Amino acid sequence: MSFVLILACLWVLAATAVAMLPMRYQFVPGFGLLIAAILLIGVIFYEHGWVFGGLALFGFVSMFRRPLLYYGRKALGLHVESDAAEQRE
């Protein structure tokens, strides 16, 4: 197994550990993981091709779907609701 795939496995473990933290402590390490994931997926695409890169991208989007939807809607100027408002409906 290549070094970049080992780093990807360690990234998944770190993301899982951060997800277990209370929400107020997740922002800073979560943002760091978000930036690291972009770089890591790029290297996976470069070294291993589109199949492994696509799998890594799919896993990343699966884990970060809520923040990506939130910031995507915010960037497009669409209405952004909080999770608390969505849960009340």
Side-chain angles (χ1 to χ4, degrees), residues 6-80:
I6 292 171
L7 285 178
C9 291
L10 293 174
W11 181 91
V12 168
L13 294 174
T16 303
V18 168
M20 290 184 214
L21 294 173
M23 190 56 109
R24 63 182 175 267
Y25 298 126
Q26 287 182 7
F27 184 75
V28 174
F31 188 72
L33 286 169
L34 186 70
I35 299 301
I38 295 168
L39 298 172
L40 194 58
I41 291 170
V43 174
I44 291 172
F45 266 108
Y46 179 75
E47 287 189 8
H48 296 284
W50 66 272
V51 174
F52 286 107
L55 290 171
L57 184 62
F58 178 76
F60 168 75
V61 171
S62 173
M63 292 178 78
F64 281 88
R65 64 186 171 273
R66 289 286 192 181
L68 291 173
L69 286 172
Y70 175 82
Y71 288 116
R73 290 180 64 85
K74 195 170 183 179
L76 293 173
L78 300 173
H79 180 66
V80 180

